[in-house]
Amino acid sequence: MPEGDTIYRTARALQRAIGGKVVTGFETGLAKLARVNDDTPLVGRVVEKVESRGKWCLIYFSGDLILVTHMLMSGSWHLYRTGERWRMGRDKMRMVIRTADWEAVGFNIPVAEFYTANSLMRNSQVPKLGPDILSDEFTVESGVARLTAYGREHPDEEIAVVLLNQRVMAGLGNVYKSEVAFAAEVNPFRSMRTITAREMEVMVEFAQRYMKANVADGVVGEGIATYSGNRRTTHAMDREERLWVYGRQGEECRRCGAVVMMRKQGVQARSTYWCSECQPWVGDGVAPVGKSLIIRQGRIGR
């Protein structure tokens, strides 16, 4: 599923393929984009840059036009050489940006809109984002400051829900949420009032470390391809052992051998995975219990 690392790699690949190139063709099945293109055509504009901000991808064109996209759960950008056969059906195409050598095709992208620099600041969600964990400017200190400030105003909010809040820090998704909490030995259902400064620091450190590891450059050949392997946090090469807890309900914890549990969390009822032994409960009341039906026995490892 697209999280901040996926969008970062997407933007990097698009920048390498079409950045600095003249648009020779544009096609879309989205009425809002078509109307803008009819009034101010993309053909003849230069792709000035492509960048990611959290889970958003921004494509800047000359003449003050910005295409902003969000993949949600199913969207993706593909790159094809001119004339190369697409790997997905045309019915799933939402937009195509053509240059002399490349076609950038957006498939199943549910959120896409054109902005100017001014309208982007006034009317989009992008300016409301917290600091991007993958940006060069991001620091552990800035991440801790954001968590601290948010926790002060929302002391009863559960930490895993806060890690998903893009206005606090941008880029973390459901996979990293569970993995970061596990790495820091923090129960994901603890309220912000129980989280210590040191625990915040460790979570931010792991968030930055994991995400940077999963965007390590994988340039080959002509320099367009970037890392596209399985997301991993354990350093294991086996694809079945690449994550600590996410998606491992009922399996053995790789650290202690206890059973990994899953429970829906937050207003959006997102699945959260954790180990009750490695991530002990701190706070009032009874510790949350999740589903722990054993699916299969896994091998304990580190």
Side-chain angles (χ1 to χ4, degrees):
M1 62 185 68
E3 299 192 19
D5 56 344
T6 304
I7 307 307
Y8 181 96
R9 295 195 301 266
T10 294
R12 182 171 60 191
L14 289 170
Q15 172 64 29
R16 288 173 176 167
I18 65 175
K21 306 292 180 61
V22 176
V23 177
T24 60
F26 178 75
E27 186 178 351
T28 181
L30 302 177
K32 291 175 69 174
L33 300 187
R35 283 196 298 270
V36 174
N37 185 56
D38 288 343
D39 295 337
T40 56
L42 262 71
V43 172
R45 297 175 186 261
V46 175
V47 180
E48 294 182 335
K49 65 177 178 177
V50 185
E51 66 178 16
S52 63
R53 296 193 197 174
K55 300 180 184 181
W56 297 84
C57 181
L58 288 75
I59 304 177
Y60 293 79
F61 300 93
S62 59
D64 191 21
L65 194 62
I66 309 165
L67 176 60
V68 179
T69 59
H70 195 296
M71 309 303 156
L72 294 183
M73 299 295 288
S74 59
S76 61
W77 279 101
H78 291 202
L79 281 169
Y80 300 98
R81 285 290 187 180
T82 301
E84 184 180 356
R85 184 176 179 179
W86 296 353
R87 296 182 182 179
M88 297 186 74
R90 188 172 184 81
D91 61 315
K92 296 179 174 59
M93 181 274 288
R94 299 295 178 265
M95 66 215 74
V96 184
I97 302 168
R98 295 187 174 93
T99 65
D101 301 318
W102 292 95
E103 292 183 342
V105 189
F107 290 107
N108 293 324
I109 296 177
V111 181
E113 192 159 356
F114 281 120
Y115 291 95
T116 64
N118 285 336
S119 66
L120 181 71
M121 295 303 295
R122 290 195 308 266
N123 303 320
S124 79
Q125 297 296 313
V126 174
K128 301 174 184 177
L129 296 173
D132 188 331
I133 294 172
L134 284 172
S135 70
D136 293 337
E137 295 76 25
F138 184 85
T139 64
V140 172
E141 291 75 18
S142 66
V144 171
R146 296 287 294 194
L147 285 175
T148 301
Y150 189 86
R152 190 178 299 119
E153 295 181 5
H154 304 85
D156 296 324
E157 192 95 22
E158 295 173 347
I159 180 59
V161 175
V162 176
L163 290 175
L164 281 182
N165 189 330
Q166 300 301 294
R167 296 191 181 192
V168 180
M169 294 187 297
L172 290 180
N174 212 40
V175 176
Y176 284 120
K177 169 200 75 177
S178 292
E179 295 294 293
V180 165
F182 175 83
E185 300 181 359
V186 172
N187 188 293
F189 296 91
R190 285 173 52 187
S191 64
M192 290 299 292
R193 69 171 76 251
T194 72
I195 306 297
T196 68
R198 177 55 183 162
E199 286 172 331
M200 291 185 190
E201 182 180 7
V202 173
M203 282 187 287
V204 176
E205 286 176 346
F206 274 108
Q208 185 181 47
R209 182 188 311 176
Y210 285 164
M211 293 193 73
K212 283 194 170 184
N214 282 277
V215 299
D217 208 341
V219 171
V220 295
E222 299 174 85
I224 299 300
T226 66
Y227 176 80
S228 60
N230 294 313
R231 184 177 291 131
R232 56 171 48 89
T233 56
T234 63
H235 302 294
M237 297 305 294
D238 187 334
R239 63 179 299 164
E240 298 298 324
E241 298 183 0
R242 68 186 188 279
L243 297 173
W244 289 109
V245 291
Y246 184 84
R248 301 190 63 246
Q249 173 189 348
E251 299 184 32
E252 293 179 355
C253 172
R254 301 191 193 283
R255 283 183 175 161
C256 73
V259 177
V260 174
M261 294 192 288
M262 185 279 289
R263 181 185 176 117
K264 299 293 185 178
Q265 185 176 21
V267 175
Q268 295 180 324
R270 305 294 296 276
S271 298
T272 296
Y273 299 84
W274 82 104
C275 170
S276 59
E277 293 297 321
C278 293
Q279 298 166 266
W281 174 247
V282 176
D284 298 328
V286 179
V289 177
K291 297 179 181 178
S292 57
L293 176 67
I294 296 179
I295 300 171
R296 63 181 175 82
Q297 292 292 329
R299 181 169 64 86
I300 301 174
R302 288 186 179 273

